[in-house]
Amino acid sequence: MKRVLLLGPFLLVHGCDGSAPMEDGDGAAGTRNAGRAAAGPAAAALPGRPADAARDEAELVRLERDYAVALARKDRAFLMRFYAPDWHGGNWMGFWTKSTMLKSVLNARYVVKSMNVRDLKVRVMGEVAVVQGVDEEVSSVDGKDTSGKWAFTDIFARRDGQWVAVASHTSEVKPTGE
């Protein structure tokens, strides 16, 4: 299965059996509870200052790249932290919850050989951030090639001092012949 809307970028686009995922409520917990250390009193008093935004942008770029590695390795612990419990994602097949996403991408039928996340654009707006980018991957489901190029948008929220994906969308990028 492909990246769903972050962040990840990538999951929702491919990899299921072709049927739309079922909306089945997500009772899974998974946000990180460890707080982030503040840079000092000024940072705590001025959360929107440019130094904080640059640090947040770097963290979100790191999360997106780590997400690609986590998919290939089927790193359940990372993916549980990446997606907020109330995360929803979508593509042409329908809408997904955290539990349906995890079930699909952790399944042995879905194989990611490589995933390159690029062209990342990050916008931090206080406690919410939008990350858009492109994912080029080599993947398969049940031995069938599902490789491709995907544009994604991941929306993150800062919860308990950590960024978590709360919504995502993925669309296939088709060659235009140019």
Side-chain angles (χ1 to χ4, degrees):
M1 167 162 235
K2 204 114 180 107
R3 171 171 172 104
V4 182
L5 323 38
L6 145 82
L7 183 310
F10 331 121
L11 291 177
L12 249 173
V13 177
H14 280 323
C16 310
D17 58 2
S19 63
M22 294 176 41
E23 184 85 27
D24 67 347
D26 183 351
T31 59
R32 291 183 242 180
N33 292 321
R36 200 168 43 158
L46 302 170
R49 72 185 233 271
D52 289 341
R55 183 176 57 235
D56 288 338
E57 288 176 18
E59 172 68 7
L60 290 159
V61 166
R62 183 193 63 76
L63 280 171
E64 292 289 358
R65 292 194 171 128
D66 289 353
Y67 178 83
V69 172
L71 281 181
R73 293 183 179 167
K74 297 193 179 294
D75 184 343
R76 180 178 178 74
F78 178 89
L79 296 170
M80 289 289 292
R81 290 188 310 267
F82 182 85
Y83 294 113
D86 57 338
W87 175 89
H88 279 80
N91 68 8
W92 78 91
M93 294 186 322
F95 292 95
W96 299 63
T97 64
K98 178 179 179 175
S99 62
T100 55
M101 175 58 78
L102 291 174
K103 182 178 179 181
S104 294
V105 300
L106 295 172
N107 189 305
R109 297 172 44 217
Y110 175 61
V111 176
V112 174
K113 292 181 182 173
S114 68
M115 185 174 286
N116 179 33
V117 178
R118 64 178 179 80
D119 299 334
L120 293 173
K121 306 287 186 260
V122 178
R123 289 177 288 166
V124 177
M125 298 157 281
E127 300 300 299
V128 175
V130 176
V131 180
Q132 293 176 295
V134 174
D135 153 36
E136 293 177 297
E137 68 183 62
V138 177
S139 60
S140 65
V141 175
D142 290 334
K144 182 181 178 221
D145 184 29
T146 57
S147 303
K149 184 176 182 180
W150 312 91
F152 65 87
T153 299
D154 286 324
I155 301 170
F156 290 86
R158 189 182 344 250
R159 294 184 178 169
D160 297 325
Q162 301 295 318
W163 290 107
V164 291
V166 296
S168 303
H169 187 269
T170 304
S171 298
E172 186 173 13
V173 177
K174 299 266 187 183
T176 62
E178 296 176 24

